[in-house]
Amino acid sequence: MSNPVLTPAAASGPIGVFDSGMGGLTVLRALRRQLPNADFLYLGDTARLPYGTKSPATVQSYALQTASLLVERGVCALVIACNTASVFALDALRMRFPELPIFGVIEPGADAVCEVSRSGRIGVLATESTIASNAYQRAILARRAQAKVFARPAPVLVALAEATWTNGDVPESVVRAYLDGWLGKDGPDSLLLGCTHFPALIEAIRKVADGRLKIVDSAETTARVVAQALGEVAGSRAAGYLATDSAERFSRLAPVFLGECVEVVEMVDL
Ligand code: DGL
């Protein structure tokens, strides 16, 4: 299903962004760079993270609840920052809210990595459920039929990012383990970060990859797609934050993913 166009009259509310938790703030950060005047409303379903180990049916029902709350708050468009929710809920959300432009992260990520890969040998790190769905593998092969996709679940990177343990020996050795066999001449030439949390570990990933992989962050590429599709979105540069658990923890962890402090977080029940 394709997206409806956002008319200026419809573009009055904030852009809704949701994720299973804090990680989607990496997407919000990129969106704010691309759409500096827009207003955003971010919802982190922190009470139910992780989505990445859950079944498709559970992720889809969580995503429908999360999106419904944002729609009730009058958002003019919706960005599914969560890779796992993009895999299992994008079509269902577009069916439920046909009037709303809705964006996922899978297609933009696949586009970007196919563009930068020279050899067509492409690595993907994501959650267990995203990798098991084959969504990235399919999206990449649909763009480059001759590609060889190296796909691996990397759930410990989610835990490290949540623990704000993003630099130093431990994160680097975990990254090294996940890139095992991928850094030689038979490995991929590019690496797609297919999970909201992984950009928080970008320095450790860059250090371990040591220039041997072109790293593609699906947060950045998604933000570019959203900005292109929505065009100029006027607003007051405001951002609101909602969470389903612990406003205090949200505020404490926000700088790791967003790069800035978040003072006010509203608690919501889904
Ligand atoms: N937001 C999830 C994703 O991008 C990662 C965290 C989780 O497992 O919920 O797939």
Side-chain angles (χ1 to χ4, degrees), residues 19-21 23-24 49-53 81-85 127 130 158 194-197:
D19 180 44
S20 54
L49 176 120
Y51 283 12
T53 52
C82 179
N83 291 252
T84 312
T127 64
T130 299
V158 174
C195 173
T196 48
H197 283 60

Side-chain angles (χ1 to χ4, degrees), residues 71-83:
V71 170
E72 278 162 28
R73 299 279 181 117
V75 296
C76 68
L78 205 52
V79 180
I80 311 173
C82 179
N83 291 252

Side-chain angles (χ1 to χ4, degrees), residues 11-249:
S12 56
I15 298 171
V17 182
F18 77 87
D19 180 44
S20 54
M22 311 296 301
L25 291 173
T26 58
V27 179
L28 180 63
R29 182 183 195 168
L31 283 164
R32 290 176 77 189
R33 270 198 295 267
Q34 294 288 331
L35 291 160
N37 295 319
D39 296 334
F40 291 96
L41 185 59
Y42 180 90
L43 171 49
D45 190 7
T46 44
R48 302 191 292 198
L49 176 120
Y51 283 12
T53 52
K54 300 207 165 68
S55 69
T58 299
V59 173
Q60 194 182 102
S61 102
Y62 287 177
L64 283 166
Q65 290 169 358
T66 314
S68 298
L69 187 137
L70 289 170
V71 170
E72 278 162 28
R73 299 279 181 117
V75 296
C76 68
L78 205 52
V79 180
I80 311 173
C82 179
N83 291 252
T84 312
S86 296
V87 172
F88 299 121
L90 178 62
D91 289 343
L93 288 176
R94 284 181 173 165
M95 300 259 279
R96 175 73 65 91
F97 306 109
E99 73 292 349
L100 207 64
I102 303 181
F103 304 89
V105 292
I106 305 298
E107 303 288 318
D111 274 339
V113 81
C114 286
E115 224 164 85
V116 303
S117 174
R118 281 185 167 217
S119 65
R121 301 167 73 81
I122 294 171
V124 181
L125 292 178
T127 64
E128 281 172 57
S129 303
T130 299
I131 296 295
S133 75
N134 281 320
Y136 272 122
Q137 296 92 315
R138 267 198 311 273
I140 291 166
L141 290 170
R143 288 158 176 78
R144 280 181 80 160
Q146 308 304 324
K148 174 159 173 51
V149 185
F150 301 69
R152 209 169 257 174
V156 178
L157 298 185
V158 174
L160 283 169
E162 285 279 320
T164 70
W165 199 349
T166 55
N167 280 302
D169 292 347
V170 171
E172 282 166 28
S173 48
V174 174
V175 169
R176 199 164 291 113
Y178 282 133
L179 297 183
D180 187 38
W182 287 9
L183 297 173
K185 68 171 172 35
D186 295 328
D189 70 350
S190 48
L191 175 68
L192 176 61
L193 305 183
C195 173
T196 48
H197 283 60
F198 300 171
L201 289 135
I202 192 92
E203 280 176 36
I205 296 169
R206 280 207 185 105
K207 195 159 171 197
V208 172
D210 196 23
R212 284 169 285 185
L213 295 170
K214 288 177 213 141
I215 298 166
V216 174
D217 169 356
S218 63
E220 286 297 336
T221 53
T222 301
R224 278 199 289 276
V225 167
V226 174
Q228 250 166 22
L230 298 185
E232 264 302 296
V233 179
S236 52
R237 306 165 186 235
Y241 300 92
L242 312 172
T244 52
D245 190 39
S246 185
E248 181 279 323
R249 186 168 189 272

